Amino acid sequence: MSSGDAALQSSSSKASKKPTYSRFTQQELPACKPILTPELIMAAFIFLGITFIPIGLSHLSASDHVVELIDRYDEDCIPVDNSNSEAAYNKRIGYIQDVKTDKTCTRTLIVPKKMKHPIFVYYQLDDFYQNHRRYVKSRNDEQYRNPAADHKTAHCEPESMNNDNQPIVPCGLIAWSLFNDTYSFSVNGNSLPINKKGIAWESDKTHKFGSKVYPKNFQSRSLIGGAKLNESIPLNQQEDLLVWMRTAALPNFRKLYGRIETDLEANEMIKVVINNNYNTYTFKGKKKLVISTTTWIGGKNDFLGKVYITVGGICLFIAVAFISVYLIRPRPLGDPAYLSWNLDPASN
Amino acid sequence: MKRYVYINDDNLAQDLYCDNRISNRKYTIWNFLPKNLWEQFSRFMNQYFLLIACLQLWSLITPVNPASTWGPLIFIFAVSAIKEAWDDYNRYLSDKKANEKEVWIVRQGIRKLIQAQDVRVGNIVWLRENDEVPCDLVLLGTADPQGICYVETAALDGETDLKTRVIPSACMGIDIELLHKIKGVIECPGPDKDIRRLDANMRLFPPFLDNDMFPLTIKNTLLQSCYLRNTEWACGVAVYTGNETKLGMCRGVPEPKLTAVDAMIDKLTGAIFVFQIVVVIVLGIAGNVWKDTEARKLWYVRYPKQGPWYELLIIPLRFELLCSIMIPISIKVSLDLVKGLYAKFIDWDDHMVDLETKTRSNAANTAISEDLGQVEYILTDKTGTLTENKMIFKRCCISGRFYGNENGDALTDTELLNAVSSGSADVIRFLKVMAICNTVIPVRSKSGAISYKAQSQDEEALVRAAARLHMVLANKNGNILEINLNASLLQYEVLDILEFTSERKRMSVVVKDCQSGKIFLLSKGADEAILPHSHAGQEIRTYAETVEQYAQLGLRTLCLAWRELDDDEYQEWALMFKDANSTLIDREWRVAEACQRLEHDLEILGVAAIEDRLQDGVPETIATLRKAGINFWMLTGDKQNTAIQIALSCNFVSPEPKGQLLMVDGKTEDEVCRSLERVLLTMRITNTEPKDVAFVVDGWALEIALKHYRKAFTELAILSRTAICCRVTPSQKAQLVELLKTCDYRTLAIGDGGNDVRMIQQADIGVGISGREGLQAARAADYSIGKFRFLKRLILVHGRYSYNRTAFLSQYSFYKSLLICFIQIFFSFISGVSGTSLFNSVSLMAYNVFYTSVPVLVSVLDKDLSERTVMQHPQILFYCQAGRLLNPSTFAGWFGRSLFHAIVVFAITIHSYALEKSEMEEVSMVALSGCIWLQAFVVALETNSFTVLQHLAIWGNLVGFYAINWIVSAIPSSGMYTIMFRLCKQPLYWITMILIVAAGMGPVLALKYFRYTYRSSKINILQQAERLGGPILSLGNIESQTRTLEKDLSPLSISLPKNRNSSVYEPLLTESPNSTRRSLGAGAPFDFFQSQSRLSTNYSRNCKDN
């Protein structure tokens, strides 16, 4: 060894006594250097496997406990056949856009299992792009919150001003296209009350929408989108609107319609009278009525449970595979023999 | 452009030239903003970001708040601008200090104190001892009656010894009072940057002297920034001022160097840019198609029937903005930051402190640390770099008698001592030449001890040796030189000095013996510069052989000679010499010619041999670095034999029979061509043999080869791992660097002297040794180190870590940007291809600026292998050299990983937050949290060593993410109001996070483990060996092999051609290198390399060469 390296060593022994900042500057901070040993990896995968499968199972069982009633009514509540023909398509549009027709429609649902309250009533729209860029941006939160900000209709185009150039409150396409089907339920002839209070987020009611902001000039233009609003109720009490304004990120979504505060027994017949007003026929979207209970995971959703079990299974499989490879072809870690420059070129 | 400087004329030429205000500033207050912005926007990346930011101002297409791009952009620009402004302000302050320094000048015949900036050309400036020279002056008078003064030129050229300056002979003897009134004119060339030359003339006006022209040289000047030493006062006339001084002209902004890593990052950025454009075009078309077929049916979207003319552009532009985050804006800042830190680590490194001089290593260029890890060629100077440049007189041969051959030290050779004391005439003459023929200045300290100040280490060694042999150079008083010989005092008058130049390779002095009045010419120089000029009939063969013999021992040789001159001859010559010295055009050449006329018929006195010891650790360093696959070229001005000897002694080449030296020589084109072809042929043949072949070329042959046979020489350069180039000039050194650079090799040039500066500046990385030849090289270099052996640590530790860290950091930056961008793209498929952003502005901005940049910054502390392991297995540097950690294929890995992770995050998010939970803000936050969780684990998985800081950054960042989002969620006016609180209360959220992490990291982990264990790279194996704490391999084994190169230099198996075995003993002459290369390329082990940079192929080719 040269004297230079000796000097190197002596100074390195000096450095180890130095304070931390100097260890930092010398890049000598104490470090933990884990490596991927077979034991560690196998333990990790086995652990993942044996924890994920139970989580998945419990998730699945929770999902299984959810009683869910789905009724697609858009096709049946319209007196047009289900064909895909152009004529039927036009007929459907003609029907839904005709304001004079009575669009009441009665559906009968059978409760498959006992449903404990609270029971949630949702409407589900499929292929409805609430996340479309033109749509999702067409709102002005300032106007909704602040009673003095009527005129703030930026971003709300093309639903910002009415024909007399008065600002529309609430402005924007989202509010304009508010869902307007209504449902009334009855069980065995007795009407089943739907609690429509408290379906919106509390924070929306207290902060996002003003208690002194009243609808103005809403749906007053020739082209009417969806529901109209009672102009005497402030925006933050219009819970249907608040729910609707929480735009969905996905084209298939459910929105809370109300809650049923009583239990429903198995095999009970629910009669639902639907006012089928909302136009999903132009874009061939679906409308569904969903009645569902919830558990700790929320509504029915098998996805997570299945994926958990799959991932857990794969982890176990990987662990087994690694173990068998480890047993069949053990390879010592850090064997210098694998360093090619230690290999004799002749043996290669 | 000549300038005429009228001395001490207050009216004339005042405003013709600039004042003495020094300005190093780049900006003024007024032009700072436009100029700085212009500079910043001349970079493509910045233009790109600016364009994106401008597009975002168009609210129709912007997916997010423009602030999310403008914020970081302005921040980044502000940081760069503030840094520039700060540097400029500091320059301004130091300028101001220099400008406001007070100096004495003469105005109207009276000495006045003014600020340095007010000095004008033609003013007479008075300096006192230890004053700094404020501008370039021509000396007029000094306190010394002989007109001599001493200056320290350290600030100018880094040389710390004192130099003498003399007043022009015209001014000799002018009284101090008269100096105030002196008038005259100096005719000098326009400002230039040559600090070693001034070809000017001076004429004093009557009554001072007759109208005669007097030559001025650099010896008559005091240049700006030098210091006056050992002289009570001096005065001179300002000839160049302000930024037109020699120093001012030397200043220049060196070309910024771009590292290979930067180039690769630029390339990858370009690729991503193309990818982005493709995505934008595809999605743009899809978006427009979807809009026309589907979206028009969505009555609630209310597409107008007739859009504006640019309607078709809107959706593509939206996607352009949505995808603009693919190119991370943070990468520039992150890289600048970590690069600064790499440089700091070099500055801080205690292991690279030269304990003798207490100098630390210094990284002057903070931007190129990664390149250190990718060096393929090291071009090194010999003297002062490999050797200590501490010259010691070791042997001599005086009139055929050898001294110092037995004990290796002539100074203790009794024979020589006896010869001195007995007064042997030959020996005394030899010693006299040693003591007199030089420019050494003896400085007598107060205690009476004499120390020598010399510009040349050789001269100092000779004078010291002479002093040891009782021939003491005691005093130099103007032209009178005193020598103590055995207590008797000899006086000589120095009449002329025929200076050393690298072309002449000799120097002579003409002296007059004050006792006898005889005139002598004393010469010393290289053998080939002296021996041919010996007088006819002298037996010079013995000397030539002696020189040869000494050179074989690695000693530097100087031939000493003398001649007695006739008075007439001298007088005649002196006129000619003076004439030559006063020419303005081609003075150097004319002077050389004049010297030639005197230096003939010399009597050779003997040969002095000076040892230049190897620095500590040089052979080990070279061996280690060659094991690391770095090729060494030695470029030296020394002679061939000395160079070869040094090369042998420092492991540069192996001795016969293992090593083989091939000479490229010749004096004519034909000879060089033949020799070059011969060498090439041999090289091609031995290509396949495990032999250490090196070629040796001298400056002359190199000149011809570079001029006429560039192609052949380039091929030779590629084939040869080692080369020794001797007798090369500074510009040839630079040319060789250039040659290797054109072959796409990463070059590192290391040197210590002024003659290495050009090579250092030319190379990809310039390393200067802050050594005894001054700081000139260290100043010009990107890195300066105290000793050659620190190069090992600089490359293997700092270079390697820097490369590894940057490779990770840059690819990771792209990974995280792509990750979030892919999610946006996927989301566009479920949002009607309309260009909706899933993430809100705050999240997008914070994602790049906070959430993902902090953890990755601490990767500057990551060490894949310990320093010890790397030092023991320098071969591991191959991974850096060949760019194995950052290249298109590794990048593809990261690209794939980000795609996979984006799929995982997106699929799990939209399925677990489906239907009644599909609220926009929640889904967006779930996806974002998924990304943050994944990236934390990715950083953790890719980190090799966790220090406290890493834990803090990785996990702290995760906590920080929630903290920031809780804060934002608590602000009622923000779009995210209450979102994070809602999510954190849902078990579903946490289950989703766990699933995203497991599904995202599981396969990555499994794959990594599999590769780590069953397809392990050498790095992995060493990591395992190092951390399992087992006996670290065959260490002793390897240590003992440091000098036996063969085994260690055997190539890595990955690059080992299958046919190696068979080809080793194949008959020679069958394979040309081209065919070899082709067969390599087709070989199975090489397929893996094909996609990678050609560095790897080069490398394997080189590996094969040994």
Side-chain angles (χ1 to χ4, degrees), chain A residues 144 170 174-176 178 199-200 209 215 218 229 235-236 238-246:
Chain A
Y144 306 156
I174 311 178
W176 175 75
L178 175 60
I199 54 173
F209 291 85
F218 191 67
L229 294 174
L235 283 189
N236 74 332
Q238 313 256 14
E239 296 203 29
D240 280 325
L241 177 74
L242 268 48
V243 169
W244 182 253
M245 297 288 290
R246 278 274 156 204

Side-chain angles (χ1 to χ4, degrees), chain A residues 70-285:
Chain A
I70 303 177
D71 179 51
R72 179 177 174 188
Y73 63 88
D74 59 309
E75 285 178 327
D76 298 334
C77 284
I78 198 159
V80 180
D81 62 89
N82 288 341
S83 72
N84 264 335
S85 70
E86 187 78 3
Y89 175 75
N90 288 335
K91 249 193 207 166
R92 280 198 286 270
I93 293 172
Y95 173 84
I96 200 76
Q97 287 181 341
D98 187 352
V99 270
K100 286 177 215 111
T101 345
D102 175 28
K103 296 184 192 115
T104 320
C105 163
T106 308
R107 311 281 295 167
T108 313
L109 311 174
I110 296 164
V111 180
K113 267 201 243 165
K114 181 183 160 77
M115 295 171 91
K116 283 212 172 121
H117 77 276
I119 300 162
F120 295 87
V121 179
Y122 303 96
Y123 53 90
Q124 176 172 347
L125 293 175
D126 284 2
D127 298 325
F128 188 101
Y129 289 90
Q130 261 203 321
N131 55 14
H132 193 279
R133 186 160 187 293
R134 267 181 78 84
Y135 186 84
V136 79
K137 290 240 162 189
S138 185
R139 63 189 293 161
N140 191 320
D141 286 347
E142 173 76 29
Q143 191 207 41
Y144 306 156
R145 181 169 52 234
N146 188 348
D150 284 2
H151 56 282
K152 290 213 169 161
T153 56
H155 308 298
C156 286
E157 286 301 328
E159 265 319 300
S160 51
M161 300 284 181
N162 72 354
N163 299 336
D164 307 327
N165 237 358
Q166 291 298 307
I168 299 170
V169 183
C171 72
L173 287 175
I174 311 178
W176 175 75
S177 60
L178 175 60
F179 186 75
N180 59 355
D181 284 6
T182 56
Y183 315 114
S184 47
F185 295 77
S186 55
V187 179
N188 305 328
N190 307 322
S191 105
L192 186 65
I194 305 285
N195 182 3
K196 287 185 69 78
K197 285 275 167 248
I199 54 173
W201 291 11
E202 204 52 43
S203 60
D204 283 355
K205 286 202 262 183
T206 52
H207 286 101
K208 223 161 180 166
F209 291 85
S211 55
K212 296 199 173 65
V213 183
Y214 294 90
K216 249 190 283 181
N217 307 320
F218 191 67
Q219 304 287 25
S220 60
R221 293 167 69 176
S222 56
L223 196 58
I224 291 178
K228 298 192 175 175
L229 294 174
N230 185 342
E231 300 212 345
S232 59
I233 302 173
L235 283 189
N236 74 332
Q237 301 302 316
Q238 313 256 14
E239 296 203 29
D240 280 325
L241 177 74
L242 268 48
V243 169
W244 182 253
M245 297 288 290
R246 278 274 156 204
T247 48
L250 311 176
N252 302 343
F253 59 87
R254 286 175 189 174
K255 292 207 175 285
L256 194 56
Y257 182 80
R259 271 191 300 267
I260 298 171
E261 303 285 11
T262 52
D263 292 355
L264 294 175
E265 297 304 322
N267 298 323
E268 257 182 337
M269 298 259 283
I270 309 176
K271 200 172 101 189
V272 191
V273 179
I274 298 171
N275 272 319
N276 182 19
N277 299 322
Y278 204 69
N279 179 5
T280 56
Y281 301 101
T282 41
F283 55 89
K284 295 175 184 161

Side-chain angles (χ1 to χ4, degrees), chain B residues 382 527 544-557 634 636-649 653 661 663 696-698 724-727:
Chain B
K382 182 178 74 71
D527 51 319
E545 280 168 4
T546 310
V547 167
E548 191 79 1
Q549 186 196 338
Y550 284 153
Q552 298 233 326
L553 295 165
L555 300 171
R556 299 158 70 89
T557 53
M634 183 199 276
T636 175
D638 219 332
K639 71 177 77 55
Q640 190 162 318
N641 284 336
T642 318
I644 291 174
Q645 282 317 307
I646 294 282
L648 279 170
S649 63
V653 287
L661 288 176
M663 305 288 175
V696 182
V697 64
D698 65 4
I724 298 168
C725 307
C726 34
R727 295 287 187 208

Side-chain angles (χ1 to χ4, degrees), chain B residues 1044-1083:
Chain B
T1044 59
L1045 288 167
E1046 183 195 30
K1047 205 169 180 185
D1048 301 319
L1049 283 170
S1050 68
L1052 309 174
S1053 71
I1054 14 179
S1055 59
L1056 192 71
K1058 279 245 163 89
N1059 61 353
R1060 187 187 164 97
N1061 240 339
S1062 51
S1063 67
V1064 169
Y1065 300 110
E1066 256 175 33
L1068 307 175
L1069 274 171
T1070 50
E1071 276 186 319
S1072 77
N1074 286 332
S1075 67
T1076 318
R1077 228 172 294 157
R1078 241 174 277 127
S1079 73
L1080 283 181

Side-chain angles (χ1 to χ4, degrees), chain B residues 268-300:
Chain B
L268 295 174
T269 310
I272 288 294
F273 183 69
V274 171
F275 174 70
Q276 175 188 330
I277 297 295
V278 170
V279 167
V280 166
I281 290 173
V282 169
L283 286 181
I285 291 172
N288 276 325
V289 168
W290 199 88
K291 182 188 79 183
D292 286 333
T293 55
E294 298 295 323
R296 296 213 186 272
K297 292 183 198 153
L298 306 180
W299 56 268
Y300 50 88

Side-chain angles (χ1 to χ4, degrees), chain B residues 52-172:
Chain B
I52 295 298
C54 287
L55 278 177
Q56 287 199 333
L57 292 177
W58 188 6
S59 70
L60 185 65
I61 57 170
T62 178
V64 291
N65 193 330
S68 69
T69 304
W70 280 102
L73 192 73
I74 288 171
F75 175 75
I76 284 166
F77 277 80
V79 167
S80 311
I82 288 169
K83 191 169 158 259
E84 283 276 292
W86 176 250
D87 289 350
D88 213 46
Y89 179 67
N90 281 330
R91 281 195 287 265
Y92 164 72
L93 284 186
S94 67
D95 285 352
K96 194 173 162 203
K97 214 172 137 197
N99 283 335
E100 291 180 356
K101 201 173 238 177
E102 299 200 307
V103 292
W104 288 100
I105 66 155
V106 175
R107 282 266 162 88
Q108 272 97 29
I110 304 156
R111 252 190 273 175
K112 267 171 68 178
L113 202 58
I114 61 162
Q115 290 191 342
Q117 54 184 326
D118 297 327
V119 175
R120 310 301 297 241
V121 169
N123 286 155
I124 294 179
V125 180
W126 289 78
L127 300 167
R128 283 169 306 180
E129 189 168 355
N130 297 334
D131 272 356
E132 190 183 343
V133 183
C135 58
D136 288 356
L137 305 174
V138 166
L139 265 178
L140 293 177
T142 74
D144 185 271
Q146 301 294 329
I148 287 178
C149 68
Y150 296 94
V151 288
E152 189 186 299
T153 58
L156 198 61
D157 56 12
E159 292 164 19
T160 49
D161 54 288
L162 295 185
K163 297 203 173 73
T164 46
R165 293 288 185 255
V166 291
I167 61 174
S169 43
C171 306
M172 208 63 90

